[in-house]
Amino acid sequence: MIFNYRINNLYNNKTVDFFLRQTGYSRRLIIDLKETDEGILLNGERAFTNVKLKEGDILRIHLPFEKPSEHITPVPLPFPVIYEDEHIIAVNKPADMPIHPSINNHENTLANAAAWYFKEKDIPFVFRCVNRLDRDTTGLVLLAKHQLSGCILSESVKAREIHREYMAVCQGIIENPGTIDLPIGRLPGSAIMRCVDLEQGEHAVTHYLPVASENNMTLLRIHLETGRTHQIRIHMGAIGHPLPGDYLYNPDYTWINRQPLHSASLTFDHPITGEKMHLTAPVPEDMRRLFPGSFNLF
């Protein structure tokens, strides 16, 4: 991947290093560029990062070659693409699909599906997952297709500039919108489960808005300020409205056989063009059937 930049007056007399950092290149990526033949060219000549720029200069950046992700077997699995360009790809992850390979999950993950997708296109594959979902949570997952989009989106996540909205079904009737501000930490004695931990937990904030109620369940739109592990599942349980079908926290399978949680939309600035992106993914059928007629707006 090659990027060409015409230097404007804002960067006149600034160093190449300064420009690259302001443009979103990480320290690690800049080091790799310096070690790459023709990684950094200024007006056609190889340049050091301490060289100062002038208005009108042409800076050419050639991203270094990367070895494809190892130990990820390409497998023909569902990989519903919602949006794709040369920099990013967003998919609507199905239920019962982990994000990454792990013990007992070697060939059934989103990474395996992505490896197959890119293999079929004969494109080198490096798995860069920007946002992560639990195995049984469906919806939008954003992948970066090269190092620079990965760097920029990673910083966007840290700065909480990627806004996520979920659809969820909880038990009980909720009539009014609300906010849950409770810290979340590991459940003592468990490597997986989380709990509200008022003393040592990490700051976590969830906003919810009821959409419809039926059969003593409520359909919610949920916006996260933070992204703690199992945040929605823990917070809704903490106020007495757990998600049904949740094998960890509320294994009630009367209505559904997995936690009814769906990553419905992502709003963010495109890492390369700066365009405001708003991506949506349709709610899956197992959640739709719980509230017939309530999803015409989603």
Side-chain angles (χ1 to χ4, degrees):
M1 180 70 67
I2 295 174
F3 294 93
N4 291 299
Y5 304 99
R6 179 178 293 275
I7 305 303
N8 60 32
N9 63 342
L10 293 177
Y11 294 101
N12 190 48
N13 211 37
K14 303 294 185 182
T15 65
V16 170
D17 182 82
F18 179 85
F19 174 85
L20 293 177
R21 288 181 182 279
Q22 292 296 113
T23 307
Y25 291 76
S26 68
R27 178 185 295 274
R28 178 69 260 175
L29 181 51
I30 292 172
I31 291 172
D32 290 343
L33 287 171
K34 291 193 289 187
E35 297 174 351
T36 300
D37 288 339
E38 299 189 346
I40 303 174
L41 297 180
L42 182 60
N43 300 323
E45 301 292 333
R46 191 167 182 178
F48 293 105
T49 55
N50 61 353
V51 170
K52 291 188 175 181
L53 299 166
K54 296 182 178 62
E55 184 177 358
D57 281 347
I58 301 297
L59 184 64
R60 180 182 176 92
I61 301 299
H62 190 173
L63 296 182
F65 171 78
E66 290 184 288
K67 292 176 61 177
S69 293
E70 297 179 348
H71 313 302
I72 298 180
T73 305
V75 181
L77 296 170
F79 193 70
V81 175
I82 297 295
Y83 175 86
E84 181 177 13
D85 60 29
E86 60 184 327
H87 309 292
I88 60 175
I89 182 169
V91 297
N92 185 10
K93 187 185 83 66
D96 194 29
M97 178 181 279
I99 295 288
H100 298 281
S102 61
I103 297 174
N104 300 323
N105 293 291
H106 297 290
E107 298 185 355
N108 61 333
T109 73
L110 186 71
N112 299 115
W116 178 271
Y117 179 83
F118 286 103
K119 176 186 174 184
E120 291 296 288
K121 292 178 174 290
D122 196 27
I123 298 174
F125 164 73
V126 177
F127 190 62
R128 299 183 187 84
C129 187
V130 176
N131 65 307
R132 292 167 174 79
L133 300 178
D134 298 333
R135 176 180 184 137
D136 280 334
T137 299
T138 57
L140 286 167
V141 176
L142 186 61
L143 307 178
K145 294 176 73 171
H146 54 72
Q147 304 101 308
L148 180 55
S149 59
C151 288
I152 295 172
L153 289 171
S154 177
E155 290 302 311
S156 295
V157 169
K158 292 178 184 177
R160 300 178 183 173
E161 294 171 347
I162 297 180
H163 304 289
R164 297 160 289 171
E165 185 173 273
Y166 290 79
M167 301 299 294
V169 177
C170 70
Q171 292 182 337
I173 303 300
I174 298 178
E175 296 181 344
N176 300 308
T179 295
I180 306 168
D181 186 348
L182 292 170
I184 294 175
R186 288 186 182 273
L187 183 69
S190 176
I192 300 174
M193 298 179 70
R194 302 298 195 270
C195 64
V196 171
D197 185 340
L198 298 177
E199 294 184 358
Q200 299 181 5
E202 294 182 294
H203 177 62
V205 178
T206 301
H207 304 282
Y208 60 87
L209 174 69
V211 175
S213 297
E214 195 161 329
N215 294 318
N216 198 36
M217 292 183 292
T218 302
L219 174 66
L220 300 170
R221 297 178 73 159
I222 293 180
H223 170 69
L224 297 181
E225 281 193 24
T226 54
R228 308 304 176 198
T229 300
H230 302 171
Q231 178 172 322
I232 293 173
R233 297 156 70 184
I234 294 298
H235 271 177
M236 296 314 301
I239 65 169
H241 294 283
L243 276 59
D246 186 339
Y247 76 100
L248 278 179
Y249 303 106
N250 185 36
D252 178 353
Y253 304 110
T254 303
W255 296 100
I256 193 168
N257 62 6
R258 56 115 181 165
Q259 74 256 10
L261 183 58
H262 177 70
S263 175
S265 73
L266 290 174
T267 303
F268 59 97
D269 292 337
H270 191 285
I272 304 303
T273 68
E275 177 187 358
K276 181 67 72 175
M277 306 292 294
H278 180 70
L279 306 179
T280 61
V283 177
E285 179 59 30
D286 61 350
M287 289 178 63
R288 285 179 175 269
R289 64 179 173 80
L290 299 177
F291 293 88
S294 295
F295 287 97
N296 56 329
L297 297 178
F298 306 101

